[in-house]
Amino acid sequence: MVTTPLSSQPAPTLSPLNVPQRLLLGPGPSNVNPVVLAAMNTPPLGHLDPDFLGIMDEIQTLLRYVWQTQNRLTYAISGTGTAAMEATLANAIEPGDRVVVCVKGYFGHRLVDMAQRYGAQVHAIHQTWGQPFSKESIQNAIETHRPAVLAIVHAETSTGVRQPLEGLSDLCQAHGTLLLVDTVTSMGGVPIKLDEWGIDLAYSCSQKGLACPPGASPFTLSDRAYAKLQKRSGKVPNWYLDATLLEKYWGSERVYHHTAPINMYYALREALRLLAEEGIENAWERHQQNAEYLWSQLEAIGLQMHVAKEYRLPTLTTVRIPEGIDGKAIARRLLLDYNIEVGGGLGELGGKVWRIGLMGYNSRPENVDRLLQAFKEVL
């Protein structure tokens, strides 16, 4: 009897993986410390192995340190920073909740979209791309709409703006509002003190200031946010990201929820350990010093920054593309001829700026020197 193969499609023939060595000075990911890469090559354990559960405990302790918080419910989402963003909104919002979103760039718009999908009555307030919100404009929005949640981006990746957060928690607590903050491009590189600043919900990613590959993303809830979660009238509408389920895996019960990305958690643990070894205040200072060096060198060759100095991010700088220059062509030459990646503008800043990241392991003066030499040649 002759059997017919199930498929006549030939197997693809590919060469072994060969990845170019780039200097990643765009908006993320950033280059990874070799120590972290080595950790990823460690053989995986089972996701309920007691030694792996011990690593999860260490990750929680280290996240609390880097974020400067004592929040019990602090852990890593198995996914990229966008998954952590969605986890925060899914757990914070019930259908019908009034939510004020402060939009000053691309990722503010993403917060609006996600909040609407979870049934919130969203009231967006807007600021020019490249400027922060004033405390007065936020106060006016809170007093007008009396929201359950105020959502704001601390470090807007699309514009390079650092949003001052001090004092916002007083406004929120006076009106029973939870303060939700995007720290994707600030965690590890920009001063942020969740408890001191009264931040109730926060999320981040692994591939920027933490200098780790993408895929394990920090998430935290304060006691106030957890109390709201416990009082929900229905289940969190996203099963995978439901904090009431995940706390049983990350907490003392150790109830199976999903298969964790074991090797990604190894990497995150080591990246956080290196930050703790350096000291978080020292890391913040290192990022600031190297950013100021970058700014001075860019200005020395005639380039202008997009954001006023007092509101610039030390992790992500937006540089105005000069008149008559094809920004995409310059970025492509940097990539193909010099193996250096820089980002282009997003949204309203498309074609108007380059975005240069100095984050985590990449925040070093020799990387600034290498970029500036290449910029001089291609310009």
Side-chain angles (χ1 to χ4, degrees), residues 132-350:
F133 283 93
S134 68
K135 186 177 177 180
E136 292 71 26
S137 64
I138 295 172
Q139 179 175 357
N140 181 62
I142 292 174
E143 292 176 348
T144 300
H145 300 293
R146 305 288 171 136
V149 177
L150 171 75
I152 192 165
V153 178
H154 181 218
E156 177 52 73
T157 315
S158 63
T159 66
V161 169
R162 177 189 57 82
Q163 172 65 47
L165 298 174
E166 297 88 333
L168 295 189
S169 67
D170 293 337
L171 297 176
C172 289
Q173 292 185 29
H175 295 87
T177 299
L178 296 178
L179 177 56
L180 184 160
V181 177
D182 177 322
T183 71
V184 164
T185 309
S186 54
M187 188 178 191
V190 183
I192 184 164
K193 302 175 181 180
L194 296 190
D195 288 358
E196 183 178 325
W197 295 351
I199 296 168
D200 294 298
L201 305 109
Y203 59 88
S204 191
C205 70
S206 53
Q207 74 271 17
K208 298 191 181 189
L210 302 186
C212 179
S217 302
F219 165 92
T220 190
L221 297 177
S222 71
D223 289 344
R224 291 179 71 231
Y226 185 72
K228 184 179 188 302
L229 174 63
Q230 292 296 101
K231 294 175 184 176
R232 291 183 70 99
S233 58
K235 294 181 178 180
V236 173
N238 189 315
W239 186 92
Y240 184 64
L241 302 175
D242 184 346
T244 66
L245 301 177
L246 285 165
E247 71 169 325
K248 295 177 182 178
Y249 178 41
W250 283 89
S252 59
E253 294 180 65
R254 300 304 191 185
V255 176
Y256 165 72
H257 181 264
H258 68 284
T259 302
I262 311 296
N263 292 64
M264 269 307 309
Y265 284 177
Y266 292 166
L268 179 61
R269 188 263 191 196
E270 283 301 278
L272 292 167
R273 181 188 65 81
L274 291 172
L275 259 182
E277 188 177 85
E278 179 181 9
I280 191 60
E281 292 87 356
N282 294 331
W284 294 338
E285 180 61 25
R286 169 170 58 86
H287 281 80
Q288 187 66 36
Q289 289 180 353
N290 289 325
E292 291 185 7
Y293 179 50
L294 171 69
W295 302 336
S296 67
Q297 295 301 300
L298 289 170
E299 289 168 346
I301 62 172
L303 295 173
Q304 292 184 317
M305 309 308 107
H306 183 64
V307 178
K309 189 172 183 179
E310 61 266 34
Y311 299 118
R312 283 180 206 160
L313 285 171
T315 48
L316 193 286
T317 298
T318 44
V319 184
R320 290 177 180 165
I321 298 172
E323 288 292 329
I325 295 291
D326 184 338
K328 287 185 177 180
I330 295 294
R332 184 169 177 80
R333 277 205 62 195
L334 289 172
L335 186 71
L336 299 182
D337 296 348
Y338 297 87
N339 277 319
I340 299 174
E341 178 186 88
V342 300
L346 279 179
E348 293 181 18
L349 294 182

